[in-house]
Amino acid sequence: AYAGIHNSKTLFMDYRSDWSGLDGGPTTYQLSYNDKFNDKVGLGARFIYDKTDIFKQTLILGTYTYEVKIAEGHLLNFGLSAGFYRNSIDLEKYYNDPRYIQDKVLISGLEKSKIKFATDISALYRYKQAEAGILFSNIMFGTVRYSNTNMTYKPLKNYLLHASYKFAIDDKWSVKPTIILRGGQNIPAQFEISPTITWNDRFWGTTLFRTGGIFGIGVGGEVFDGIILNYSYNIINNVFLYTFGSHQLSLGIKIFNFQKKEKTQSQ
């Protein structure tokens, strides 16, 4: 539902590594773009590649959002994402392991699922500096089947609710606390709070606490004109320190900023 509202006309590239102290931990790559089509319609697209040990997932989604004015200053944005999903399992990785050498399933090697239709739905409410929204993911994935075996995989449906408010400290500094509740099918609910302090609408720092003993920090900003960079790190304090942490690096490029510069220079 945020498509076309914040950081429109910006191409984002994300890299995330979870469980950094564990071999085979999740690694995610994401490419995304969103834009404002007109006063009411926003458009976006996402490509996500995720790998966890022997499991790989690829997701391609297009997003359409529509804005409705319900009263003066009160806005509702509805979002619908649809696309395609594919999963693969690299059974060959364990084929030479003495513990599994007798398992005939592993002879299949790399198993790719059939392409499956995927969709998310979301809604966002905005009033002045307040925002609140809800997202439902994987609601129509169904059961994923594989071409050469009888294995099946069913992505878990999940949800996310959030609310935030931006407080202006002075003409340069502001702070924006955000609260998040997430969970889903066979997924324990987690509560998160993450205040962000911003200077001059250009540089920011974030702290995070999530139930389950998870703490995080993040820093970022528009480091050059048209270039956005952000880094965040999370740790879990109830296991060995520096184990099972997660790193995320995001790079944003405001594409049309460079086009305007080139046009201005040529003139």
Side-chain angles (χ1 to χ4, degrees):
Y2 271 105
I5 297 176
H6 299 315
N7 291 313
S8 64
K9 295 180 171 55
T10 303
L11 177 70
F12 277 100
M13 293 164 278
D14 293 273
Y15 167 78
R16 182 180 178 91
S17 174
D18 288 301
W19 307 349
S20 57
L22 184 67
D23 183 36
T27 302
T28 305
Y29 303 87
Q30 181 171 243
L31 189 67
S32 62
Y33 180 81
N34 78 103
D35 202 349
K36 192 77 171 177
F37 184 71
N38 57 37
D39 291 341
K40 295 183 179 294
V41 175
L43 300 174
R46 282 176 289 161
F47 169 80
I48 303 170
Y49 174 78
D50 181 87
K51 181 180 179 182
T52 304
D53 197 37
I54 65 172
F55 300 96
K56 298 177 183 178
Q57 301 182 81
T58 303
L59 182 63
I60 300 174
L61 288 173
T63 298
Y64 173 88
T65 65
Y66 189 80
E67 185 173 291
V68 177
K69 183 179 178 181
I70 55 177
E72 188 62 36
H74 296 264
L75 301 172
L76 275 178
N77 292 77
F78 298 95
L80 173 65
S81 295
F84 300 98
Y85 168 86
R86 191 171 200 177
N87 171 276
S88 65
I89 303 177
D90 189 7
L91 299 170
E92 199 171 41
K93 181 175 181 179
Y94 291 128
Y95 184 63
N96 292 321
D97 191 315
R99 294 172 296 176
Y100 306 109
I101 194 67
Q102 301 301 324
D103 192 335
K104 294 182 179 180
V105 174
L106 301 185
I107 298 174
S108 300
L110 181 65
E111 283 295 330
K112 294 182 179 180
S113 72
K114 297 178 181 179
I115 295 175
K116 189 71 177 177
F117 179 70
T119 185
D120 299 343
I121 59 172
S122 57
L124 174 69
Y125 166 76
R126 294 182 293 147
Y127 176 67
K128 294 184 178 178
Q129 301 301 318
E131 298 177 350
I134 185 169
L135 164 73
F136 294 98
S137 296
N138 303 350
I139 58 173
M140 291 179 64
F141 271 46
T143 300
V144 178
R145 300 187 181 278
Y146 295 80
S147 302
N148 300 319
T149 70
N150 292 325
M151 293 188 305
T152 60
Y153 172 73
K154 193 170 184 178
L156 302 177
K157 300 176 177 63
N158 57 79
Y159 65 85
L160 184 148
L161 297 92
H162 90 285
S164 65
Y165 190 90
K166 184 178 180 180
F167 296 92
I169 301 173
D170 55 30
D171 60 343
K172 288 188 178 293
W173 292 92
S174 65
V175 60
K176 183 178 181 180
T178 300
I179 57 174
I180 295 174
L181 177 66
R182 72 183 83 211
Q185 180 185 8
N186 301 324
I187 302 173
Q190 284 188 313
F191 175 78
E192 176 182 312
I193 182 167
S194 56
T196 298
I197 188 166
T198 303
W199 179 77
N200 210 28
D201 284 331
R202 182 158 182 168
F203 298 97
W204 56 82
T206 302
T207 59
L208 173 148
F209 168 75
R210 186 182 305 148
T211 52
I214 300 172
F215 295 87
I217 57 172
V219 291
E222 190 169 349
V223 292
F224 299 104
D225 191 21
I227 301 293
I228 299 171
L229 193 63
N230 189 85
Y231 171 76
S232 61
Y233 177 68
N234 293 352
I235 59 171
I236 303 176
N237 71 344
N238 54 11
V239 295
F240 187 72
L241 199 59
Y242 306 120
T243 304
F244 306 115
S246 65
H247 305 265
Q248 182 166 350
L249 182 65
S250 302
L251 172 65
I253 302 174
K254 295 183 178 181
I255 298 174
F256 288 89
N257 273 33
F258 294 101
Q259 291 183 347
K260 288 178 182 178
K261 281 183 179 180
E262 290 175 0
K263 186 176 180 181
T264 302
Q265 289 172 355
S266 64
Q267 290 174 346

